[in-house]
């Protein structure tokens, strides 16, 4: 199911080379993010990776700040981000490779657009990982 979400603050990452095989070995609480350009070449949906990045688990101090309703300080070197703004979001099981990611991303991106998408892998526990695909924009409303 697709959702519309608004990020009030960017989600920041540090540049790091990662691949799909690295996802399951991540530490709980960590994240890997891929940024892709997407679009159609004739009738084929394509995704081209621009960057990959990593986010370490929150420290105990950062967790306390978040639990109190605050925003932790920016981390040094975390220069890449999913910018704040409106997004269509699909949350699902992690893709195993770019071919399966392409199929999932196409359902979020639609059929007539080109742009940028962000794929966020969150390691929730030693055995659980989810994938979120963010595409800038909003889902059409019933009145549209």
């Amino acid at each position: 199911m697709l959702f519309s979400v608004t990020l009030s603050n960017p989600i920041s990452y540090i540049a790091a080379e990662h691949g799909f095989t690295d996802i399951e070995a991540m530490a709980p609480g960590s994240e890997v993010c891929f940024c892709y350009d997407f679009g159609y070449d004739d009738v084929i949906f394509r995704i081209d990776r621009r960057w990959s990045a990593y986010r370490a688990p929150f420290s105990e101090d950062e967790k306390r700040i978040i639990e109190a309703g605050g925003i932790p300080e920016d981390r040094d070197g975390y220069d890449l981000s999913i910018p704040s703004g409106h997004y269509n979001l699909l949350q699902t099981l992690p893709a195993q490779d770019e071919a399966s990611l392409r199929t999932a991303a196409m359902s979020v991106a639609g059929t007539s657009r080109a742009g940028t998408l962000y794929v966020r892998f969150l390691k929730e526990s030693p055995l659980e990982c989810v994938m979120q695909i963010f595409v800038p924009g909003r889902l059409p409303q019933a009145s549209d």
Side-chain angles (χ1 to χ4, degrees):
M1 178 172 213
L2 294 177
F3 299 95
S4 288
V5 297
T6 300
L7 293 180
S8 299
N9 298 297
I11 303 171
S12 59
Y13 299 91
I14 191 164
E17 193 56 42
H18 284 283
F20 287 89
T21 57
D22 301 324
I23 304 298
E24 288 301 319
M26 294 187 323
S30 61
E31 302 178 19
V32 166
C33 183
F34 300 142
C35 176
Y36 290 91
D37 290 323
F38 72 87
Y40 285 85
D41 289 337
D42 295 323
V43 295
I44 297 173
F45 183 76
R46 62 165 181 75
I47 56 174
D48 300 307
R49 190 183 301 185
R50 289 178 35 199
W51 50 260
S52 67
Y54 176 77
R55 181 178 185 82
F58 288 114
S59 68
E60 291 304 317
D61 287 341
E62 289 172 318
K63 288 178 185 177
R64 278 193 285 281
I65 291 168
I66 292 167
E67 289 169 358
I71 299 170
E73 296 283 322
D74 290 337
R75 294 175 173 179
D76 288 338
Y78 280 58
D79 299 329
L80 300 172
S81 69
I82 302 174
S84 57
H86 302 288
Y87 292 89
N88 296 326
L89 169 74
L90 173 68
Q91 181 166 311
T92 186
L93 296 173
Q96 300 302 310
D97 54 31
E98 285 195 347
S100 57
L101 173 60
R102 187 174 19 264
T103 302
M106 190 167 47
S107 69
V108 185
T111 59
S112 61
R113 302 181 354 174
T116 301
L117 63 86
Y118 303 90
V119 183
R120 181 183 186 204
F121 295 90
L122 296 96
K123 186 71 171 206
E124 295 183 330
S125 72
L127 299 176
E128 295 180 35
C129 185
V130 298
M131 177 178 75
Q132 296 176 332
I133 301 174
F134 291 81
V135 176
R138 295 177 188 250
L139 291 171
Q141 302 300 312
S143 61
D144 289 347

